[in-house]
Amino acid sequence: MTTAVFFDLDLTLLRYTAEFETIFDRAVPDAPEGAYDRYLSVFFDAFEDLAVDPYAVGFEALTDEFDIDDDPEALVARYAAAELAATTVPASAREALVRVADRRPTGILTNGAPAVQRAKFERHDLTDVVDAVVVSNDPAVASRKPDSGIFEAAETALPADDYVYVGDTYDEDVVGARNAGWEAYHVGGEGPDGDPTDDAPDDPASVESVADAVARILGEDGA
Ligand SMILES: [Mg+2]
């Protein structure tokens, strides 16, 4: 029996050293009033519609609607660079990922734009550690968590008997994985804003960290 292990990327393996609004301000200094909220709204609509480059859609709307003295391509490039520069992978998470990848087929399954997510893998040397990478807004995947389609794309990418998913967002990661017939671990018990996710009380899938999830997956926790 082979069990494949997939990890969420953002806020599971990857941490941010700045809020998204701060990243936006770095990319668009002196942004007009309302520009950030408008960008977010257009970005998330495009993201949910599985656009390959929701960042471009967001910044095209901004340059159309606001007095911004830059072209959308330059803004997208600056934003992507600022977002990338604000990411870190804790050493403990990397060590745990390497440890499980030595012993199980291992992949990353993430909601995001393919170019930006791949830039994050490359910046943090994650691509060579894992066997498969599945990104929601890649046209070959075209499905986002919690929908089962993205988990099915992962099964195709990495054939195994059973699957485990490790992620930080209960409704997308844990519920989505279970609906697809996967086992799941919920890391951290906090939402992206640091608010406790009170929708996951006493779930046996709750773990403190990626390292704890890996210890349980590899049967090293004494259980
Ligand atoms: Mg996440």
Side-chain angles (χ1 to χ4, degrees):
M1 290 282 284
T2 310
T3 301
V5 184
F6 276 84
F7 292 83
D8 170 53
L9 183 63
D10 293 297
L11 301 168
T12 297
L13 295 174
L14 208 69
R15 297 297 158 93
Y16 284 84
T17 58
E19 300 288 325
F20 288 120
E21 186 161 6
T22 306
I23 294 169
F24 179 88
D25 289 339
R26 289 172 184 165
V28 193
D30 306 316
E33 180 86 29
Y36 176 66
D37 288 343
R38 180 64 180 147
Y39 167 78
L40 265 195
S41 159
V42 175
F43 171 86
F44 277 116
D45 283 350
F47 186 53
E48 288 181 14
D49 287 344
L50 298 168
V52 178
D53 191 351
Y55 298 87
V57 179
F59 282 113
E60 278 160 17
L62 279 202
T63 52
D64 281 351
E65 296 171 24
F66 291 86
D67 183 19
I68 293 177
D69 203 15
D70 258 316
D71 58 51
E73 293 78 16
L75 291 166
V76 168
R78 280 217 306 274
Y79 186 90
E83 180 170 333
L84 213 53
T87 59
T88 62
V89 175
S92 59
R94 176 186 301 283
E95 285 162 14
L97 181 70
V98 168
R99 208 146 49 80
V100 77
D102 279 347
R103 294 164 176 78
R104 303 277 187 277
T106 299
I108 296 173
L109 185 165
T110 168
N111 278 358
V116 171
Q117 298 305 80
R118 283 177 202 286
K120 292 175 192 169
F121 307 144
E122 279 158 26
R123 180 183 180 89
H124 298 290
D125 295 324
L126 298 175
T127 315
D128 293 339
V129 177
V130 297
D131 305 301
V133 161
V134 179
V135 182
S136 62
N137 292 34
D138 179 339
V141 176
S143 171
R144 55 200 295 280
K145 300 176 286 180
D147 294 345
S148 290
I150 189 170
F151 294 95
E152 289 160 10
E155 293 173 0
T156 302
L158 204 52
D161 298 307
D162 293 301
Y163 292 86
V164 180
Y165 192 53
V166 179
D168 70 291
T169 306
Y170 193 83
D171 290 342
E172 287 184 352
D173 297 341
V174 177
V175 174
R178 286 176 178 163
N179 283 343
W182 294 26
E183 194 181 344
Y185 289 99
H186 183 224
V187 175
E190 288 187 345
D193 301 328
D195 298 331
T197 49
D198 49 12
D199 55 356
D202 301 326
D203 193 304
S206 285
V207 289
E208 292 279 315
S209 65
V210 170
D212 289 344
V214 165
R216 283 177 63 172
I217 289 164
L218 295 177
E220 296 168 344
D221 61 340

